Amino acid sequence: MILKSLLQGTKGQTLKILSDIGFNVPKVYFFSCKDWKKNHKRIIDTILNQYREGKIVVRSSTKAEDSDESSMAGAFESILNVSLEKIEIERSINSVIESYDGNPENHVLIQPMVTDVVMSGVIMSRVLDDGSPYYVFNYDDTTGLTDTVTSGSSINKTVYIYNGVEEKDFDNPLLLLGLKMVRRLESLLKDIPIDIEFAIDSTQNIHLLQVRKITTIDTWNSTIINQVSAKM
């Protein structure tokens, strides 16, 4: 499948393709550090033309992130709530690039801030430690922010849901949106275990913020799925 090779790209490249095939991804614009060094004024003008209101997030999108060996989640800087002013945009992009490893082919990802958030968090398609067949929801439905789970800045909720659950038996409409999204991704990626970041707004639109491989798969018990399924 196309997405198997896609997950070898940067965060920005992954999200752009997912947006193109119909997932609800906040508008994506990315560029390389090399291009920024050569054409930063043009890039800033492009950002101002594409994002005309609200605020933006300047996100890391490096070659080193989300690889088969390591996700490096949180290793590089991302800056939220950046005003649409040239000086603020330039300062934020430079700050993100300064956190990088020096590779000129690394990307910087620009997206609009998701507003009116009622739930945000991370969903893993398998249990991280041993690969058990449960969807693991770590979420915040209190603060209205999009990064509390990934930053560890607040007390969040965790729910384990057996992956054989039927959607008609689900009693939380917001978590059901997340379940449907991760299952849709699974149907495309087949045997690749993933974790996704998401945010749901007050109109119950779910926004896909990131998809990456789970990198602990080599440590899992290969018989764990059969063991769990036999007990259900």
Side-chain angles (χ1 to χ4, degrees):
M1 295 294 294
I2 184 172
L3 291 185
K4 288 188 177 181
S5 59
L6 166 68
L7 291 182
Q8 301 296 323
T10 65
K11 183 188 304 177
Q13 290 170 324
T14 296
L15 290 175
K16 179 63 169 65
I17 297 300
L18 289 169
S19 176
D20 288 346
I21 64 175
F23 285 86
N24 186 25
V25 178
K27 187 175 183 179
V28 170
Y29 172 63
F30 62 88
F31 51 88
S32 70
C33 295
K34 178 172 61 178
D35 287 343
W36 173 253
K37 186 175 182 179
K38 291 181 179 179
N39 301 298
H40 74 277
K41 291 183 179 179
R42 176 184 58 78
I43 288 172
I44 291 174
D45 287 341
T46 299
I47 292 170
L48 290 172
N49 284 331
Q50 290 201 25
Y51 306 94
R52 294 180 174 273
E53 58 183 23
K55 294 186 177 182
I56 59 173
V57 55
V58 180
R59 304 181 69 187
S60 65
S61 182
T62 72
K63 298 289 185 178
E65 292 175 271
D66 306 336
S67 69
D68 288 341
E69 293 76 30
S70 174
S71 74
M72 296 192 73
F76 306 107
E77 186 167 9
S78 291
I79 301 176
L80 308 181
N81 292 304
V82 177
S83 299
L84 289 172
E85 300 174 6
K86 289 185 177 182
I87 190 169
E88 292 298 323
I89 295 170
E90 183 172 2
R91 181 185 295 121
S92 298
I93 292 171
N94 283 333
S95 181
V96 170
I97 290 175
E98 286 168 6
S99 74
Y100 286 179
D101 57 11
N103 185 341
E105 300 302 325
N106 285 333
H107 293 159
V108 177
L109 169 62
I110 309 296
Q111 292 181 280
M113 285 294 302
V114 179
T115 58
D116 297 322
V117 173
V118 296
M119 179 185 285
S120 65
V122 173
I123 306 170
M124 288 178 283
S125 64
R126 302 273 287 278
V127 176
L128 192 62
D129 292 338
D130 63 6
S132 296
Y134 295 90
Y135 299 112
V136 184
F137 288 69
N138 291 298
Y139 64 96
D140 168 10
D141 58 359
T142 304
T143 68
L145 303 175
T146 60
D147 66 332
T148 57
V149 171
T150 54
S151 68
S153 61
S154 72
I155 297 174
N156 300 298
K157 300 173 183 177
T158 301
V159 175
Y160 290 77
I161 301 167
Y162 177 57
N163 69 4
V165 68
E166 294 189 32
E167 293 179 4
K168 66 181 178 62
D169 296 328
F170 226 72
D171 60 1
N172 184 314
L174 298 183
L175 292 183
L176 180 57
L177 290 173
L179 178 68
K180 288 180 176 180
M181 175 178 280
V182 74
R183 281 182 165 173
R184 183 181 173 196
L185 287 164
E186 282 185 303
S187 72
L188 296 170
L189 292 165
K190 303 304 180 186
D191 297 325
I192 298 177
I194 54 174
D195 81 70
I196 71 172
E197 294 178 24
F198 71 96
I200 301 174
D201 64 30
S202 58
T203 62
Q204 295 198 5
N205 283 321
I206 186 166
H207 304 264
L208 181 58
L209 305 181
Q210 185 160 342
V211 181
R212 56 187 166 226
K213 298 177 185 178
I214 294 176
T215 59
T216 57
I217 186 171
D218 291 338
T219 68
W220 291 351
N221 180 345
S222 60
T223 65
I224 193 69
I225 293 180
N226 290 335
Q227 291 177 19
V228 173
S229 298
K231 296 178 180 180
M232 301 304 291

